[in-house]
Amino acid sequence: DEGWLRLEPEETKSGEARMFPLTPDLLEILAAQVERTRAIELATEKVIPWLFHHDDGSPIKDFRTAWQNACDRA
């Protein structure tokens, strides 16, 4: 509500809290991802506890391959 996204210490690898400004673009991206996640939850009838995940709702464990593919395409 105040325009900031806060990660609590227990939610980060370093154990330090972080805050990010919710710019209009970032807010739009996050809202679209929440809608996408809810649609997958309804289609699969399972709860997906991650905001970013694979199309089947499984967690992303390693982003390196996707990052490399995106770099190659760019």
Side-chain angles (χ1 to χ4, degrees):
D1 291 338
E2 297 179 17
W4 288 89
L5 174 67
R6 178 179 170 83
L7 297 177
E8 300 297 336
E10 60 274 6
E11 297 173 322
T12 68
K13 284 200 277 187
S14 68
E16 295 180 19
R18 295 188 188 131
M19 291 184 65
F20 300 93
L22 282 173
T23 64
D25 289 340
L26 180 56
L27 194 53
E28 184 179 330
I29 289 167
L30 293 175
Q33 186 62 23
V34 167
E35 287 180 28
R36 178 177 173 265
T37 299
R38 287 190 178 142
I40 294 172
E41 287 178 326
L42 289 172
T44 61
E45 296 183 348
K46 67 179 183 179
V47 174
I48 301 171
W50 306 279
L51 180 57
F52 297 99
H53 47 77
H54 293 285
D55 290 337
D56 65 354
S58 62
I60 296 172
K61 295 187 180 190
D62 191 344
F63 67 91
R64 288 177 190 85
T65 301
W67 179 258
Q68 186 59 53
N69 290 339
C71 290
D72 291 344
R73 287 191 302 269

